[in-house]
Structures are given as structure tokens and as C-alpha cells.
Amino acid sequence: MTVRRHGFGGHEAVVVRVLGEIDDDTGGQVRAAYAEAFAAGLPTVVVDLTGVTLLASQGIADLLLAQRSAASTGTALHLVAGENPRVLRPLHLTGVADVLGACRDLDEVVRRGPESRAG
């Protein structure tokens, strides 16, 4: 998991890139990465899930908590899922995809702009 600053479209964002499984065993690391991203104080946080191999219920719950954190701090939250069926399928099956939305890549995040948010 990496958390880094990234410039795009003339704006700066924090990108959380998650690799591997998001489940009960890794939930603490993922939540810490989200907390670090929001603590940076930038107007945009991007969660890149293109490298995720398993999105368990804990991971979905953590994404919903991240959305609440974003809303409470006025931060734009964007999810990047690409065409990853290991992410998209559980999000669609649970109905969370409609709540969170997802971009295909960082270029789509740039097109949406920093003021928009997932969902």
C-alpha cells in the first residue's frame, strides 16, 4: 500500500494505491493509509484499487467510512477501479457502487475535476 502526493490537472491530490487483498487481516493497514491521506489536508483523495486481488466486506466497509471522512472534511474522494472485476463485482453486488462511483483511471479523475466526488 502506498500513500503519495500526485499532481493532476493543475491540482494536487493524495493517492492511496492499494495492492493485494483488502480483508479483515489488512483492514488496519488500509484504514491507516486512508487516515494518512485525509491528514495531508489536500482537497482531493484518490483511492486506486486497480491492484486489488480481493475486496472483502471489511474493505467495502472501510471505503464507506472513507467516504464519510471525505464528506465531513469537504474532501473530494475518487475511486479508481479500472476494469478490475475483483473490485467492481462486490461493489455492484452490494449496491455500494451506486453510492461510491468509480473512475476507470486517473485521467477520468482529472476530467471530473477536484471539486467532484465519487458517487
Side-chain angles (χ1 to χ4, degrees):
M1 211 160 323
T2 60
V3 178
R4 63 181 170 84
R5 289 176 181 249
H6 178 78
F8 69 93
H11 301 280
E12 195 174 18
V14 177
V15 178
V16 179
R17 185 156 193 254
V18 184
L19 301 171
E21 298 180 352
I22 305 177
D23 57 17
D24 291 340
D25 293 335
T26 60
Q29 295 171 342
V30 172
R31 286 188 297 279
Y34 294 161
E36 180 182 341
F38 288 115
L42 293 177
T44 305
V45 171
V46 178
V47 178
D48 181 348
L49 302 173
T50 57
V52 169
T53 57
L54 171 72
L55 181 61
S57 59
Q58 181 64 55
I60 294 170
D62 290 341
L63 287 170
L64 291 170
L65 288 173
Q67 181 197 38
R68 283 192 201 137
S69 294
S72 71
T73 61
T75 303
L77 176 68
H78 297 279
L79 303 182
V80 175
E83 296 291 329
N84 187 342
R86 293 183 174 124
V87 171
L88 295 173
R89 189 173 196 302
L91 291 178
H92 286 290
L93 286 173
T94 59
V96 173
D98 295 334
V99 175
L100 296 176
C103 299
R104 291 186 186 275
D105 53 35
L106 283 176
D107 289 338
E108 186 176 343
V109 173
V110 171
R111 286 190 302 273
R112 286 187 179 186
E115 294 78 28
S116 68
R117 55 180 265 288

